[in-house]
Structure formats: C-alpha cells, structure tokens
Amino acid sequence: MHLINSSLNHALRVPLAAEIHSRPFLQLDAPELITHLAVYRDDSAASGASNMTLQHATLAALCTHFGVTPPSAEAKYFYYDFGRFRLKWECHTEFATYTFAEHPGAALPLEQAFGRMPLEQLPQQWLAGLKGKLMVAAHVVLEQATEPAEIFMQGLSRVFEGNTLAGSKVLQGGELWTDFTIQSDGFSRFVIRDAGMRSQQSGRLVQRVLEIETYRMMALLGLPYAMQAAPSLNAIETELATLAAAMVDTDDAPGGGDQGLAEQALLDRITRLAARIEKLSLDNSYRFSASKAYMGLVKARIDELREVRIEGIPTVEEFMDRRLTPAMNTCEAMASRQEAMAQRIANTNDLLRTRVGIVQELQNRQILQSMNARAAQQLRLQQAVEGLSVAAISYYVIGLFSYTGKAAKVMGLPVNPEILVGALVPFVAAAVWLGLRRMHHKLHAD
C-alpha cells in the first residue's frame, strides 16, 4: 500500500515535509564564479499586487528571454541550468534573490575572475528593469587554496581597492575574505578559498556568506527609519513635557469653571499627541521588528561559519560587532523609546481623563444638590398650598351646610343656622384634612 497519494494523509503532510528541502544550496566545486542579486519589492507598483506576484513577473521575464519555462505562481524556489550559467532563485517576504553560478573551467587570477562574472551573461534590458529595486549585488570567487593565507592576503588590496579587510578560516577547511564594501563596479566582493573542505561544504559556505550580506543590508533598512523618527520623538517629548507642566499649573490655579475648561483643552491636546505617536509607531514598528529579526539571522549565519582568527585580520563577527551592531542598537533604542513615549502619553492621558472625570462628578454633585434643594422648596410650598386647600375646601363645605340650615329655618324647623355652622367648622376642617392625608398616603403607596 502506497501512502503518497493516499487519503490517509493529512492535506498538508507532503508540502510540510518538503518545506525543509525547498531551499537547497548550490552544488559548487572550485573554481566557481558567482553573482548574487537581492531584488527588493517594488513599492511604486500598483496597490493590490503582492511581492510574490511582482517577483515572479521579474523571474518570468528572465526565463522568457532564454526560452525557459518559468515556475508556477506558487513556487518560492527555482533552480535551472541555463548552460552558460546556473540560476538559483528564492522568494522571501520582502525580496527575492538571484544567484548565478558559472564554472570558468580553469582557475583565473582574482582581478580577471571579478571581471568575468556570470553578470555578463544576463540581458542588459532585464538588468535595467531592476532600477530602484536592487538591494544587494555581490560577486563571489570560489577557488582552490594554493598558498598560505598569510601570503595570499598580501595581494588582496588590489581586489578590494585598499579597504580594511575582514577574514577568517571557516568550516574547518575554508577561508573567507571580504571588506563588505560596494566597489567601484557597484558590487561587493567576496573571496572564498577551498583549503580542504569536504564535499558540498563549498555550496553551504557560499550560501551562508551571501545570506549574511543580504540579511545585513535588510537589517540596515531600519536605520533610516530610526533617524527620521528621532526628530519627531523629540518634538513629541517636548510637547508632552509642556502638557505636564500645564497640568501642574492647573493644580495651583483656583477651582472653578475656568479650570474645567483648561483641563478639557489639555485633554484635547494630549489626545492629538497620542494620535501622533500612534501613527509614528504604525509607520516604524514593522521595520524595527524586521530589522531585529534580520539581525538575528545574521548572527545565526555567522555562528554557523565557526570562524578561526587569521592573525592581524578581524573576523566577520568582530567586523559586524563594530559596524552593524551599533546601527541595530540605534534601531532598538528608538523602538524602545517609541514604546516608552506611547506608554507615558497613555499614562498622562489616563491621569487627565481621571481629573476631568472628577471635575464632572463634582459638577454633577452640585447639580444634584441644587435639585434636592429645589425639591425641598417645592415640598414646603406644596405643604403650604395643602394648608390653604384645607381652609378653602372647609369654607365651601361649611357654606353648603349654612345654606342647608337657612333652608331648614325657612321651612319652619327649629334650627339656628349660625350655631349649626359654628359647631360644624372644626369637624368639617378635620374631615377635610384627614381626607387629604389619606389621599396622599394612597398615592405614595401606588
């Protein structure tokens, strides 16, 4: 029973198992000439087009020129032997790499080797189409070691144009030489010597070196963002200090409506300040996080080199610690400062909102107190009106009894209306008062 196409497999089992084999290194045997290009995503392209779509279009244009079928739109890796050179293509989140390798047949002097790179095999029209998108361009010469490193390094000044070299013995059988500088031809240069490396180590070493160069440049993308963010953070910090001083001044000022209006104005300003720091964070946070991740990859690739010092020459790790680490520290410091500033603004905003809320609660309390006082006045007025109501109702009821007594006297009954009315006044008044009280109790009960 075969399981490759079996329904027993999870839908992602095969692609996930193949993922760790999706980016193999080139099979290289010295002498080799390598050109490496890292093409950044096109920020000026129409919105909606993903980086992978744009990078596939660039690769497809190159394949079409040589009459080669390009890979599918979902492919992230492509390898093909074009005859005159081999191409290894990888698509990443923000960029794609093109590594062209050519076997010259016989070893060449370094000056001639750097002048005969696979770049010459590429169509100039395709290279011109990379305008504004080329992030890394590097030449690598892989050759057999025929003399000691101490003697070999004496002639490298002509190749690296007199710049300070970094180099070391790597992978227990290789040598790496570079200055991490863009030379007059627009390419950075690397010289790798095979001094006893095992099979396939050359390809792994070249890949690690090119990844260091690529990730180094991608990590440095965060530095301009850090430089641009510094003036904005300085301005925000100054304004925040001004707002804090204004809050202290409102504490010393006498209370009243003016203080409430001042705090409302301060709250509006701190809200605008929070919006500014939030926009700054949205603009920079991804770049700073990406730089941190790329720097981690650079350190990991350097550790994989297992460098051994060549006397008098700084190692790649030392070179990066001296040149790259300060730039990354600047990015990390700016990211930390940005987060700290956002937290301080949030704390100030919360404090000011609390103060405004307390002022509003005091105002509401005063309003409720005035409403209670007004209700008490209305109650006293109502009680006074109720007393007058008892007198008025009693007056009209007594009047009715007076007319009844006068009618009875006219009819000949032995009744004195004045005495009758005088005797009924207290009873009628008491009955009216009790009736009103009972009605009020019933209304309150309902």
Side-chain angles (χ1 to χ4, degrees):
M1 179 180 180
H2 297 285
L3 294 179
I4 295 299
N5 298 319
S6 173
S7 60
L8 299 177
N9 289 325
H10 188 279
L12 298 177
R13 180 194 173 199
V14 174
L16 290 179
E19 179 63 26
I20 61 174
H21 305 288
S22 61
R23 302 180 188 272
F25 51 85
L26 287 170
Q27 302 293 329
L28 301 175
D29 293 315
E32 291 276 2
L33 305 178
I34 300 111
T35 295
H36 177 78
L37 305 176
V39 179
Y40 193 65
R41 64 187 179 192
D42 190 356
D43 294 330
S44 62
S47 58
S50 64
N51 178 59
M52 180 175 290
T53 301
L54 298 174
Q55 300 293 359
H56 268 280
T58 304
L59 175 63
L62 180 63
C63 292
T64 302
H65 176 83
F66 289 100
V68 175
T69 303
S72 63
E74 295 79 17
K76 295 183 179 180
Y77 169 82
F78 176 71
Y79 173 82
Y80 192 82
D81 189 345
F82 288 79
R84 289 176 289 180
F85 62 88
R86 291 110 63 202
L87 168 64
K88 175 189 172 184
W89 175 85
E90 292 183 3
C91 186
H92 299 262
T93 303
E94 296 185 288
F95 62 94
T97 59
Y98 295 78
T99 304
F100 304 93
E102 177 185 355
H103 190 76
L108 299 174
L110 287 180
E111 293 87 348
Q112 296 182 19
F114 280 112
R116 272 199 52 191
M117 286 292 166
L119 179 71
E120 298 179 353
Q121 310 294 340
L122 302 181
Q124 295 301 311
Q125 184 178 0
W126 181 81
L127 287 173
L130 302 179
K131 181 179 179 181
K133 296 181 288 185
L134 201 61
M135 180 59 65
V136 177
H139 287 324
V140 181
V141 174
L142 173 64
E143 64 174 22
Q144 291 287 346
T146 57
E147 55 187 349
E150 292 74 11
I151 299 176
F152 176 76
M153 61 181 287
Q154 296 176 3
L156 290 177
S157 59
R158 297 189 303 272
V159 175
F160 293 102
E161 301 180 359
N163 296 313
T164 302
L165 285 177
S168 60
K169 296 181 179 180
V170 294
L171 296 183
Q172 299 179 352
E175 294 177 10
L176 169 62
W177 304 89
T178 185
D179 59 358
F180 292 104
T181 302
I182 298 177
Q183 309 296 326
S184 58
D185 61 355
F187 286 79
S188 54
R189 294 178 176 180
F190 298 86
V191 176
I192 297 177
R193 303 177 74 209
D194 185 349
M197 288 189 289
R198 297 178 179 85
S199 175
Q200 299 183 352
Q201 276 190 312
S202 298
R204 288 198 297 268
L205 177 56
V206 170
Q207 178 169 317
R208 295 295 177 260
V209 170
L210 293 177
E211 286 176 348
I212 290 173
E213 174 68 1
T214 302
Y215 294 141
R216 174 181 74 93
M217 294 296 296
M218 295 301 298
L220 286 171
L221 274 179
L223 186 59
Y225 285 82
M227 297 299 184
Q228 295 172 5
S232 300
L233 286 175
N234 291 336
I236 292 174
E237 189 172 20
T238 301
E239 188 170 350
L240 181 60
T242 303
L243 287 174
M247 290 176 62
V248 175
D249 293 340
T250 57
D251 289 339
D252 298 335
D258 293 339
Q259 181 178 358
L261 292 176
E263 290 183 343
Q264 288 285 356
L266 288 177
L267 183 59
D268 181 68
R269 291 174 61 186
I270 197 67
T271 302
R272 294 177 183 273
L273 204 60
R276 287 173 57 187
I277 194 66
E278 184 65 22
K279 182 181 182 302
L280 192 64
S281 178
L282 290 175
D283 292 339
N284 299 331
S285 58
Y286 172 78
R287 193 71 265 161
F288 290 156
S289 300
S291 293
K292 184 177 181 180
Y294 286 128
M295 184 60 183
L297 291 173
V298 170
K299 291 181 177 179
R301 297 301 183 265
I302 291 176
D303 291 340
E304 292 173 3
L305 294 179
R306 301 196 296 275
E307 291 186 283
V308 177
R309 177 185 298 279
I310 298 175
E311 193 63 32
I313 300 295
T315 63
V316 173
E317 183 177 11
E318 292 173 346
F319 187 91
M320 292 298 177
D321 286 340
R322 187 171 67 252
R323 305 292 179 86
L324 180 60
T325 301
M328 294 299 99
N329 290 341
T330 300
C331 295
E332 291 184 10
M334 201 59 62
S336 300
R337 184 184 176 191
Q338 190 171 272
E339 294 177 1
M341 188 68 63
Q343 185 61 45
R344 287 171 57 190
I345 291 176
N347 293 338
T348 305
N349 193 10
D350 292 341
L351 176 61
L352 193 54
R353 286 185 182 276
T354 302
R355 291 178 54 174
V356 171
I358 292 174
V359 171
Q360 291 177 346
E361 289 179 0
L362 291 175
Q363 293 174 350
N364 293 337
R365 181 179 178 184
Q366 294 174 356
I367 293 173
L368 290 175
Q369 289 177 346
S370 64
M371 292 176 62
N372 290 336
R374 192 176 296 109
Q377 292 175 356
Q378 291 177 353
L379 179 60
R380 287 193 293 270
L381 180 62
Q382 181 181 356
Q383 291 175 348
V385 171
E386 287 179 359
L388 294 176
S389 299
V390 170
I393 295 173
S394 299
Y395 174 78
Y396 286 111
V397 173
I398 292 299
L400 293 176
F401 279 110
S402 174
Y403 286 122
T404 303
K406 289 178 181 181
K409 182 178 179 180
V410 172
M411 293 174 63
L413 295 176
V415 177
N416 189 340
E418 288 78 7
I419 296 175
L420 179 61
V421 170
L424 289 176
V425 167
F427 295 101
V428 171
V432 171
W433 183 80
L434 290 173
L436 289 175
R437 294 289 295 176
R438 183 177 180 185
M439 182 180 65
H440 283 307
H441 284 305
K442 185 176 181 181
L443 289 176
H444 286 305
D446 293 340

